[in-house]
């Protein structure tokens, strides 16, 4: 206890230096904590599940995937043709719709990005919506019911609603853009998504989009819309386990229905992993360059502070040896000082980052795929002190070793 | 072989040579020096700068090792002990008083005196008792909570002496303990050392340039060019 007190008092000896070292450590631990939280999220979503898997069926050779909506019926059955073939426990069609509130002003704020789905599937198939509880679940069920009853309904995310400057119950008109040009839809806002990953998108009834695609030739001299036969972006099929997934993949691959275009079936995690391939270099850089560079810098910051401290206190360390402190105790004293700084600053930084990001900001925007926002991992509460501690040990070992080897006779030969 | 403490000698230095190397140059500091100090003696060591006084003191206190020869303190052959053994031995058997006090600035007088006791297996109550006794002996009970920066030079040196005696060591070595003090403070410190020798029967080795300090010793020895050249009884 007294030894710890001595360590603590030594750290307080030069408050400015200790404060600056602590600040430097906190900043670097913050950066690494954020980076590792993102990587942990990516690892989690690309980790293969063993049970209750979602299989994704997409066009095999083309990105973005565009399949005929007619594929949906047979895919929903898992392409089962024979008695005993496996059928998915649930399924969901995905059709994206992109429109704008103002054709003259194509800003992000005016975009209406919506997922055209079978409304009831929102509650059973969508990540983050299938496990809602309490009031949020009730509100979503009410919105889904309204979407089923009102083919022109839309359930919107909080950010999207804020951009439209509308309220639930009001109407909005979206003009199709890009491949959706010519598909103008009128919606009534029937509900909101719970805050979180769906803040920036909406969900519409797929019947509405499909009817509009069907009726397009009536208004355009019999000409079909560009997406008429390729409006299905992907299909989600739920299966109980890996074995079922493998059987389902076999059935779909062998089915004669999906020749042009051909389709492929993969797990949601491998689908996301394939999609993340586009960000491979960025993710590699974060994992193997940015985070290690921060840790090395952290060790150097601490090494610098401890080196100066040891050099300044050479005589004092010699006095401790004279009093009977062993070389190992001197080593531990100096390592203890750097550990106190590193672990303390690491813990403070991680705890502060966790509290501010998760509780204060409600997550940090990470608008790729459907991640939307990400939270700081609870593991950060041990990452921080571990990072600070290990960097402190690595950075202070040489100065501590120099302190351990201070030769009393050399020091006092000059003094006396 | 154990042959320390012969005829009541607490310190035995036998044929000690000490040299340092600076590049290719060999610097001989002590040349075959022998010395015996009986228990309870106050021995003064004088000599010009570079004569080897501090080196001799360091060898006796186990802070350095002789190039040749042996150093015994009590029944311990100090010159043959490892660094860790020496550290443990010093805590118990040697109290060191420095010219510039060398108190830890972040600790109070009480905590500075307590420092060597942290290395011994003592309860908090035992430590407190020993610290209070040491501070009482040097007359600083009323300054125990002061930091070194809040004490005068003489008071700091008293704290240094309290730190040196708090473990009840066999031997007290003092390297120019009055060298940084005014005449009055120096006199007080010398009185204190004499009193410690008398009341606690401590063996004291004092290195000094100050003739006033030297005359307080029971015996005075002169070092010149690494040899003891003169023996003189003072008291």
């Amino acid at each position: 206890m007294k030894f710890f007190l001595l360590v603590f008092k030594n750290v307080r000896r030069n408050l400015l230096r200790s404060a600056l070292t602590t600040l430097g450590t906190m900043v670097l631990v913050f950066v690494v904590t954020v980076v590792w939280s993102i990587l942990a999220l990516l690892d989690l979503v690309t980790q293969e599940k063993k049970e209750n898997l979602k299989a994704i069926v997409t066009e095999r050779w083309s990105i973005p995937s565009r399949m005929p909506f007619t594929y949906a019926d047979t895919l929903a059955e898992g392409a089962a043709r024979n008695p005993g073939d496996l059928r998915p426990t649930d399924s969901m069609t995905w059709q994206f719709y992109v429109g704008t509130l103002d054709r003259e002003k194509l800003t992000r704020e005016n975009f209406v990005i919506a997922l055209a789905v079978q409304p009831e599937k929102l509650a059973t198939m969508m990540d983050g919506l299938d496990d809602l509880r309490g009031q949020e679940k009730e509100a979503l069920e009410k919105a889904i019911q309204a979407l089923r009853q009102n083919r022109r309904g839309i359930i919107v995310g909080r950010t999207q609603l804020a951009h439209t400057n509308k309220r639930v119950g009001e109407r909005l008109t979206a003009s199709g853009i890009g491949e959706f040009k010519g598909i103008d839809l009128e919606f009534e806002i029937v509900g909101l998504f719970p805050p979180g990953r769906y803040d920036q998108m909406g969900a519409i009834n797929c019947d509405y989009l499909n009817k509009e695609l069907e009726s397009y030739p009536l208004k355009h001299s019999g000409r079909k819309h560009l997406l008429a036969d390729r409006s299905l972006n992907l299909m989600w099929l739920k299966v109980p386990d890996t074995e079922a997934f493998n059987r389902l993949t076999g059935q779909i691959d062998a089915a004669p229905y999906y020749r042009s275009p051909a389709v492929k079936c993969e797990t949601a995690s491998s689908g996301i992993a394939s999609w993340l391939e586009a960000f491979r270099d960025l993710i590699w850089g974060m994992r193997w360059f940015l985070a290690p560079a921060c840790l090395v810098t952290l060790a150097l910051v601490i090494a610098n502070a401890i080196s100066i401290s040891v050099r300044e206190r050479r005589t004092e360390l010699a006095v401790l040896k004279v009093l009977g402190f062993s070389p190992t105790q001197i080593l531990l004293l100096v390592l203890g000082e750097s550990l106190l700084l590193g672990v303390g600053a690491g813990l403070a930084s991680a705890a502060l980052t966790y509290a501010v990001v998760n509780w204060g900001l409600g997550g940090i925007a990470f608008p790729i795929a459907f991640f939307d926002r990400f939270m700081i991992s609870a593991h950060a509460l041990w990452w921080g002190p571990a990072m600070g501690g290990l960097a402190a040990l690595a950075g202070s070992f040489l100065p501590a070793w120099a302190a351990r080897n201070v030769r009393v006779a050399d020091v006092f030969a000059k003094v006396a | 072989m154990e042959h320390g403490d012969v005829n009541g000698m607490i310190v035995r230095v036998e044929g000690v040579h000490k040299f340092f190397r600076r590049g290719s140059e060999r610097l001989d500091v002590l040349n075959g020096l022998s010395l015996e100090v009986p228990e309870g003696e106050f021995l003064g060591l004088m000599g010009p700068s570079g004569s080897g006084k501090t080196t001799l003191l360091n060898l006796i206190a186990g802070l350095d090792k002789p190039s040749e020869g042996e150093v015994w303190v009590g029944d311990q052959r100090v010159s043959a002990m490892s660094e860790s053994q020496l550290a443990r031995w010093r805590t118990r058997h040697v109290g060191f008083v420095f010219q510039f006090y060398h108190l830890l600035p972040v600790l109070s007088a009480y905590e500075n005196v307590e420092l060597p006791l942290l290395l011994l297996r003592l309860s908090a109550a035992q430590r407190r008792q020993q610290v209070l006794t040491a501070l009482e002996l040097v007359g600083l009970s009323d300054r125990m909570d002061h930091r070194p920066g809040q004490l005068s030079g003489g008071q700091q040196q008293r704290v240094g002496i309290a730190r040196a005696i708090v473990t009840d060591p066999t031997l007290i070595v003092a390297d120019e303990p009055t060298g940084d003090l005014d005449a009055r403070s120096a006199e007080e410190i010398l009185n204190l050392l004499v009193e410690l020798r008398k009341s606690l029967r401590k063996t004291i080795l004092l290195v000094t340039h100050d003739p006033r300090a030297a005359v307080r010793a029971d015996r005075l020895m002169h070092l010149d060019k690494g040899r003891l050249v003169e023996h003189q009884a003072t008291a």
Side-chain angles (χ1 to χ4, degrees), chain A residues 39 42 273-290:
Chain A
L39 294 175
L42 298 182
S274 304
W275 192 85
L276 285 174
E277 272 295 290
F279 300 91
R280 188 179 57 185
D281 291 346
L282 180 67
I283 293 168
W284 185 93
M286 284 166 66
R287 191 188 298 273
W288 299 113
F289 182 74
L290 181 60

Side-chain angles (χ1 to χ4, degrees), chain B residues 97-103 140 147-161 176-182 184-186 188-189:
Chain B
V97 182
F98 301 93
Q99 179 181 1
F100 298 107
Y101 335 126
H102 291 311
L103 303 176
L140 276 180
R147 296 256 176 114
Q150 298 167 313
L151 299 172
S152 69
Q155 287 170 330
Q156 287 188 57
Q157 193 57 294
R158 283 162 181 259
V159 176
I161 292 172
E176 301 268 14
T178 58
D180 196 44
L181 298 176
D182 58 54
R184 187 175 163 195
S185 299
E188 286 173 3
I189 293 300

Side-chain angles (χ1 to χ4, degrees), chain B:
Chain B
M1 186 176 72
E2 190 173 286
H3 73 309
D5 204 7
V6 176
N7 300 325
M9 293 300 160
I10 197 77
V11 177
R12 292 170 59 82
V13 178
E14 296 177 354
V16 161
H17 287 262
K18 180 68 183 176
F19 59 83
F20 297 100
R21 288 202 178 277
R22 283 190 186 148
S24 59
E25 187 188 356
R26 172 173 154 157
L27 188 65
D28 287 292
V29 179
L30 298 177
N31 296 307
L33 187 146
S34 294
L35 171 69
E36 290 186 338
V37 183
E39 188 171 4
E41 185 179 52
F42 185 165
L43 174 70
L45 282 171
M46 289 191 82
S49 293
S51 60
K53 304 184 299 292
T54 298
T55 302
L56 177 60
L57 216 57
N58 285 344
L59 294 178
I60 293 171
L63 299 174
D64 205 354
K65 294 197 174 187
S67 306
E68 285 176 36
E70 292 182 355
V71 177
W72 292 78
V73 176
D75 58 359
Q76 299 288 329
R77 189 177 159 197
V78 177
S79 49
M81 291 161 77
S82 71
E83 200 172 350
S84 296
Q85 286 172 322
L86 280 170
R88 281 195 296 275
W89 173 79
R90 270 199 303 272
T91 310
R92 271 277 176 215
H93 298 284
V94 183
F96 215 103
V97 182
F98 301 93
Q99 179 181 1
F100 298 107
Y101 335 126
H102 291 311
L103 303 176
L104 269 63
V106 292
L107 303 181
S108 66
Y110 180 96
E111 290 166 332
N112 266 290
V113 176
E114 190 186 24
L115 208 49
L117 297 180
L118 299 181
L119 304 168
L120 302 175
R121 290 177 187 277
L122 295 174
S123 67
Q126 285 172 315
R127 283 204 307 269
R128 182 166 178 77
Q129 183 58 49
Q130 284 187 228
V131 173
L132 293 178
T133 302
L135 284 169
E136 180 78 34
L137 274 169
V138 301
L140 276 180
S141 300
D142 58 338
R143 295 280 193 276
M144 67 171 78
D145 294 325
H146 288 57
R147 296 256 176 114
Q150 298 167 313
L151 299 172
S152 69
Q155 287 170 330
Q156 287 188 57
Q157 193 57 294
R158 283 162 181 259
V159 176
I161 292 172
R163 183 177 65 183
I165 62 172
V166 73
T167 57
D168 192 21
T170 316
L171 183 67
I172 294 172
V173 291
D175 195 352
E176 301 268 14
T178 58
D180 196 44
L181 298 176
D182 58 54
R184 187 175 163 195
S185 299
E187 189 64 22
E188 286 173 3
I189 293 300
L190 290 169
N191 288 342
L192 184 56
L193 289 174
V194 171
E195 184 57 32
L196 286 175
R197 189 194 74 74
K198 280 184 185 167
S199 58
L200 302 178
R201 293 282 301 157
K202 295 293 173 199
T203 307
I204 299 174
L205 297 186
L206 172 76
V207 163
T208 185
H209 279 110
D210 182 357
R212 285 172 303 175
V215 296
R216 307 297 290 271
D218 298 332
R219 186 161 59 118
L220 185 61
M221 304 188 82
H222 283 262
L223 260 166
D224 191 24
K225 294 178 183 168
R227 294 177 190 277
L228 281 169
V229 294
E230 188 180 343
H231 295 231
Q232 179 187 336
T234 59

Side-chain angles (χ1 to χ4, degrees), chain A residues 249-388:
Chain A
T249 306
Q251 287 173 197
I252 291 172
D253 285 347
Y257 320 128
Y258 319 116
R259 292 286 180 254
S260 181
V263 300
K264 68 176 188 290
C265 183
E266 58 194 348
T267 57
S269 50
S270 63
I272 293 170
S274 304
W275 192 85
L276 285 174
E277 272 295 290
F279 300 91
R280 188 179 57 185
D281 291 346
L282 180 67
I283 293 168
W284 185 93
M286 284 166 66
R287 191 188 298 273
W288 299 113
F289 182 74
L290 181 60
C294 284
L295 290 176
V296 169
T297 309
L298 178 56
L300 291 175
V301 166
I302 292 174
N304 188 44
I306 297 295
S307 295
I308 294 170
S309 171
V310 166
R311 203 159 52 239
E312 281 177 356
R313 292 157 52 203
R314 199 162 163 263
T315 304
E316 192 176 302
L317 294 167
V319 169
L320 290 177
K321 278 195 168 180
V322 171
L323 295 181
F325 279 70
S326 68
T328 307
Q329 286 168 322
I330 300 282
L331 180 85
L332 292 176
L333 183 72
V334 177
L335 288 180
E337 290 169 26
S338 65
L339 266 179
L340 181 65
L341 272 179
V343 172
L347 179 63
S349 176
L352 210 62
T353 306
Y354 184 86
V356 170
V357 171
N358 291 10
W359 299 337
L361 303 175
I364 292 180
F366 187 58
I368 66 169
F370 283 97
F371 299 128
D372 185 39
R373 304 180 83 77
F374 83 95
M375 299 294 184
I376 298 297
S377 168
H379 291 301
L381 296 175
W382 71 263
W383 291 345
M387 260 187 276

Side-chain angles (χ1 to χ4, degrees), chain A residues 80-405:
Chain A
R81 290 172 293 154
N82 304 309
D85 276 358
L86 185 113
R87 285 178 164 73
T89 54
D90 203 351
S91 66
M92 181 184 190
T93 57
W94 281 54
Q95 294 168 277
F96 290 106
Y97 172 77
V98 183
T100 177
L101 297 173
D102 186 346
R103 214 191 293 265
E104 304 301 318
K105 197 177 170 189
L106 296 178
T107 60
R108 185 180 158 86
E109 285 73 26
N110 283 332
F111 284 172
V112 176
I113 301 168
L115 190 59
V117 296
Q118 305 112 302
E120 63 278 11
K121 302 295 183 183
L122 287 171
T124 60
M125 291 292 284
M126 295 291 282
D127 290 340
L129 298 181
D130 55 1
D131 55 359
L132 289 177
R133 297 276 180 275
Q135 286 185 336
E136 283 190 331
K137 185 177 181 181
E138 282 176 26
L140 181 70
E141 281 174 349
K142 202 172 154 191
I144 289 171
Q145 188 60 26
L147 189 60
R148 289 178 71 175
Q149 289 168 353
N150 181 357
R151 212 175 62 182
R152 296 190 172 212
I154 182 170
I155 300 173
V156 294
R158 312 273 159 156
T159 309
Q160 194 177 47
L161 183 72
H163 288 160
T164 59
N165 216 15
K166 306 255 183 199
R167 285 181 296 183
V168 174
E170 291 187 333
R171 292 176 178 277
L172 59 90
T173 303
S175 306
I177 55 175
E179 287 186 311
F180 296 92
K181 197 171 179 185
I183 306 293
D184 300 338
L185 304 177
E186 266 189 43
F187 300 114
E188 182 185 332
I189 302 170
V190 296
L192 293 175
F193 279 125
R197 64 198 297 181
Y198 301 109
D199 278 350
Q200 302 196 41
M201 62 176 293
I204 60 175
N205 193 321
C206 62
D207 287 347
Y208 183 30
L209 176 64
N210 290 333
K211 291 286 180 199
E212 287 299 309
L213 286 167
E214 274 176 33
S215 62
Y216 183 88
L218 299 175
K219 303 169 199 165
H220 295 83
S221 318
R223 189 162 41 87
K224 278 185 171 179
H225 189 270
L226 179 67
L227 296 176
D229 297 324
R230 42 198 295 268
S231 69
L232 180 63
N233 295 98
L234 59 96
M235 187 90 187
W236 266 6
L237 308 173
K238 197 183 270 185
V239 289
D241 51 37
T242 315
E243 189 191 339
F245 168 78
N246 291 334
R247 281 184 63 193
L248 189 77
T249 306
Q251 287 173 197
I252 291 172
D253 285 347
Y257 320 128
Y258 319 116
R259 292 286 180 254
S260 181
V263 300
K264 68 176 188 290
C265 183
E266 58 194 348
T267 57
S269 50
S270 63
I272 293 170
S274 304
W275 192 85
L276 285 174
E277 272 295 290
F279 300 91
R280 188 179 57 185
D281 291 346
L282 180 67
I283 293 168
W284 185 93
M286 284 166 66
R287 191 188 298 273
W288 299 113
F289 182 74
L290 181 60
C294 284
L295 290 176
V296 169
T297 309
L298 178 56
L300 291 175
V301 166
I302 292 174
N304 188 44
I306 297 295
S307 295
I308 294 170
S309 171
V310 166
R311 203 159 52 239
E312 281 177 356
R313 292 157 52 203
R314 199 162 163 263
T315 304
E316 192 176 302
L317 294 167
V319 169
L320 290 177
K321 278 195 168 180
V322 171
L323 295 181
F325 279 70
S326 68
T328 307
Q329 286 168 322
I330 300 282
L331 180 85
L332 292 176
L333 183 72
V334 177
L335 288 180
E337 290 169 26
S338 65
L339 266 179
L340 181 65
L341 272 179
V343 172
L347 179 63
S349 176
L352 210 62
T353 306
Y354 184 86
V356 170
V357 171
N358 291 10
W359 299 337
L361 303 175
I364 292 180
F366 187 58
I368 66 169
F370 283 97
F371 299 128
D372 185 39
R373 304 180 83 77
F374 83 95
M375 299 294 184
I376 298 297
S377 168
H379 291 301
L381 296 175
W382 71 263
W383 291 345
M387 260 187 276
L390 288 175
L393 280 181
S396 64
F397 189 77
L398 282 180
W401 192 257
R404 177 200 182 277
N405 293 329

